[in-house]
């Protein structure tokens, strides 16, 4: 599919992340106004709430955009999702007869503040990247026992905290927790010293289910995708994770990018999962291209200094797709809700510079990385800003998500002071 031309000139730049082919969904406000639903087009935002109020977008008897999140649209299902995309395309396409009505409803992105684009119902994070799982397993168990026995058969995951999911630009406070070093008999309650990121994609469930669904049904239920940073306190994690897995190490925050890129926008970039080393059971088998060719990168910027790119990888490196993760999640009969968020797991590639976490990049702190400023890092220091970027590149256009950024603040001096 080539670039679709818009009358919004900036949307026709081949390198701009928000062409007419994209039309991602977000929530924004401007000075003196309340947050409301909007669609990114070029360097502008279409005020969808206003367009609906003026009768330019009508998708049913009741308004869908009178609240500052996209869950009401998700609840309408795929047919309404498609109808909105078709209507937005008609309104914003070059030659649109309604340009004069829509143009006053555009807001420059530079003047807008972005908010959480949807209300997160529940959050589940997975451990589904083979390169990441192999690297971490090799560090802690040796190469012969790198992957757990179940890893090649099911997408492993854990239930996280929906309450700690935040939008890009939210500062992240370094957490306190129990740390246990090998040379001490007892743990100590201290700020994390090995604070880290995980480069992930997040899939948003748009259709609820109450019982097992197939991989194809799961793919149909996904509304869209965001970039996702699973902030991780590795030292807290090392002490707490046995026998039930991650808990407080992952509860500090999970950052997501501000724009939901719909599955329809990503369809031209579908690709297959990697070859299977072990045949999956029937209920998890691939039924078509379920991954996406999305280039990803991570930058780190020390306080007041320029950013350095520390990793580049691609979403197609995942071993399990989000559809397989969602299908597996439902096998026990677990209900899935509109607005559930599924983290892909860390997306690492086969080379050192394609590792999606500092744990891997510095090999557990033994091999610090050097930034372009000349500074070194094993893990995140206070004042560092970490940014995830993602783009799918088509014929003369780019599909972007908006940056997923967070700056780490020092731990509280006394976490219990009031």
């Amino acid at each position: 599919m080539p670039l679709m031309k818009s009358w919004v000139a900036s949307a026709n730049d081949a390198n701009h992340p928000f062409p007419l082919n994209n039309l991602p969904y977000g929530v924004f406000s401007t000075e003196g106004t309340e947050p409301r639903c909007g669609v990114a087009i070029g360097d502008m935002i279409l005020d969808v709430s206003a367009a609906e109020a003026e009768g330019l977008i009508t998708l049913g008897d009741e308004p869908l955009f009178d609240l500052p999140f996209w869950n009401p649209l998700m609840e309408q299902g795929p047919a309404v999702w498609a109808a909105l995309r078709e209507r937005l395309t008609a309104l914003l396409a070059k030659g649109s007869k309604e340009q004069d009505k829509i143009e006053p409803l555009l807001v420059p992105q530079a003047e807008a503040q972005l908010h959480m684009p949807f209300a997160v119902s529940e959050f589940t994070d997975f451990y589904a990247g083979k390169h990441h799982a192999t690297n971490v397993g090799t560090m802690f168990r040796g190469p012969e026992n790198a992957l757990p026995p179940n890893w090649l058969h099911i997408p492993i995951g854990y239930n996280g905290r929906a309450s700690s999911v935040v939008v890009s630009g939210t500062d992240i406070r370094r957490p306190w927790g129990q740390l246990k070093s090998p040379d001490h008999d007892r743990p100590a309650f201290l700020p994390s010293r090995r604070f880290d990121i995980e480069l992930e994609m997040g899939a948003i469930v748009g259709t609820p289910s109450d019982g097992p669904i197939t991989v194809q049904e799961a793919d149909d239920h996904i509304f869209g995708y965001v970039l996702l940073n699973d902030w991780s306190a590795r030292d807290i994690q090392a002490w707490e994770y046995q026998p039930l897995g991650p808990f407080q190490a992952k509860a500090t925050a999970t950052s997501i990018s501000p724009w939901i890129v719909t599955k329809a926008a990503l369809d031209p970039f579908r690709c297959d999962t990697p070859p299977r080393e072990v045949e999956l059971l029937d209920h998890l088998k691939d039924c078509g291209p379920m991954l996406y060719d999305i280039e990803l990168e991570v930058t780190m910027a020390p306080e007041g200094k320029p950013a350095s790119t520390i990793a580049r990888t691609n979403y197609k490196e995942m071993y399990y797709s989000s559809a397989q993760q969602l299908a597996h999640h439902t096998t026990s009969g677990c209900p899935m809700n509109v607005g559930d968020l599924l983290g892909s797991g860390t997306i690492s590639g086969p080379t050192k510079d394609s590792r999606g976490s500092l744990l891997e990049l510095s090999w557990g702190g033994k091999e610090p990385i050097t930034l372009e400023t000349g500074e070194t890092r094993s893990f995140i220091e206070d004042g560092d800003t970490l940014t995830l970027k993602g783009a799918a590149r088509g014929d003369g256009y780019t599909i972007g998500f908006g940056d997923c950024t967070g700056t780490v603040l020092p731990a509280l001096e006394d976490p219990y002071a009031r």
Side-chain angles (χ1 to χ4, degrees):
M1 176 188 293
L3 170 70
M4 299 166 63
K5 291 292 185 72
S6 171
W7 53 263
V8 180
S10 57
N12 300 324
D13 184 332
N15 296 312
H16 200 289
F18 305 128
L20 189 60
N21 303 63
N22 192 348
L23 299 178
Y25 302 148
V27 171
F28 76 103
S29 63
T30 50
E31 186 175 358
T33 68
E34 295 295 320
R36 55 204 185 274
C37 291
V39 171
I41 179 70
D43 56 10
M44 308 295 284
I45 300 173
L46 170 61
D47 187 334
V48 174
S49 299
E52 182 182 56
E54 295 187 14
L56 294 167
I57 296 175
T58 304
L59 298 173
D61 297 331
E62 298 294 329
L64 295 179
F65 306 112
D66 57 344
L67 296 173
F69 41 83
W70 285 81
N71 300 57
L73 174 73
M74 296 185 214
E75 292 170 357
Q76 300 305 303
V80 177
W81 305 349
L84 174 61
R85 185 172 178 82
E86 182 178 358
R87 179 59 176 155
L88 290 170
T89 301
L91 291 171
L92 294 166
K94 188 174 182 179
S96 171
K97 297 179 180 179
E98 295 171 284
Q99 176 179 342
D100 60 331
K101 298 178 182 178
I102 288 295
E103 203 158 13
L105 305 182
L106 294 180
V107 175
Q109 289 190 32
E111 298 176 9
Q113 179 181 351
L114 300 178
H115 305 272
M116 279 290 295
F118 69 106
V120 181
S121 296
E122 299 189 51
F123 171 50
T124 302
D125 195 38
F126 286 87
Y127 184 61
K130 187 168 183 289
H131 296 296
H132 172 70
T134 300
N135 288 337
V136 173
T138 298
M139 271 186 264
F140 293 107
R141 293 184 297 274
E144 65 283 353
N145 297 307
L147 294 179
N150 58 356
W151 200 93
L152 293 172
H153 298 272
I154 56 172
I156 300 170
Y158 68 91
N159 291 314
R161 292 290 302 171
S163 62
S164 66
V165 180
V166 297
V167 73
S168 173
T170 304
D171 292 337
I172 308 300
R173 180 74 65 179
R174 183 181 298 273
W176 284 70
Q178 280 201 14
L179 316 181
K180 168 70 169 63
S181 59
D183 54 344
H184 286 78
D185 294 331
R186 290 169 52 82
F189 187 60
L190 296 166
S192 171
R193 299 165 179 170
R194 294 163 69 90
F195 202 41
D196 198 2
I197 62 160
E198 290 189 346
L199 167 61
E200 304 190 23
M201 295 292 299
I204 301 165
V205 176
T207 303
S209 57
D210 190 8
I213 60 176
T214 66
V215 173
Q216 182 58 62
E217 288 171 331
D219 187 64
D220 294 339
H221 285 201
I222 293 173
F223 178 69
Y225 291 82
V226 291
L227 303 177
L228 186 148
N229 184 352
D230 178 27
W231 300 90
S232 303
R234 300 300 184 187
D235 38 11
I236 297 174
Q237 184 177 0
W239 172 238
E240 77 176 4
Y241 83 100
Q242 295 185 22
L244 295 181
F247 184 37
Q248 292 300 87
K250 302 281 190 170
T252 300
T254 300
S255 299
I256 64 169
S257 51
W259 298 102
I260 302 171
V261 176
T262 64
K263 192 171 54 179
L266 291 172
D267 269 345
F269 308 97
R270 283 182 178 265
C271 58
D272 292 320
T273 48
R276 300 295 168 195
E277 297 183 28
V278 175
E279 186 177 8
L280 296 174
L281 297 182
D282 288 346
H283 69 284
L284 283 178
K285 283 184 177 177
D286 300 280
C287 57
M290 296 288 180
L291 283 180
Y292 299 93
D293 182 359
I294 301 172
E295 299 170 2
L296 301 166
E297 68 175 82
V298 182
T299 67
M300 172 183 275
E303 187 173 7
K305 297 181 180 179
S308 301
T309 298
I310 61 174
R312 287 189 175 91
T313 185
N314 194 296
Y315 185 41
K316 65 184 179 182
E317 295 288 352
M318 295 304 296
Y319 194 79
Y320 294 101
S321 67
S322 293
Q324 288 169 314
Q325 292 169 345
L326 177 54
H328 176 62
H329 210 324
T330 69
T331 54
S332 65
C334 169
M336 303 300 294
N337 302 312
V338 172
D340 281 351
L341 177 63
L342 306 183
S344 63
T346 306
I347 306 167
S348 295
T351 59
K352 184 173 181 178
D353 62 358
S354 63
R355 296 171 182 171
S357 68
L358 284 161
L359 176 68
E360 297 167 85
L361 287 165
S362 72
W363 206 250
K366 297 177 181 178
E367 303 172 8
I369 61 172
T370 301
L371 306 179
E372 292 176 13
T373 59
E375 298 165 83
T376 60
R377 291 288 189 275
S378 293
F379 293 96
I380 302 169
E381 294 187 7
D382 293 344
D384 287 347
T385 297
L386 280 298
T387 300
L388 314 185
K389 300 173 182 285
R393 304 194 185 278
D395 180 9
Y397 68 97
T398 301
I399 300 293
F401 296 77
D403 292 350
C404 179
T405 295
T407 298
V408 174
L409 304 180
L412 297 171
E413 289 189 20
D414 180 354
Y416 296 104
R418 295 292 183 267

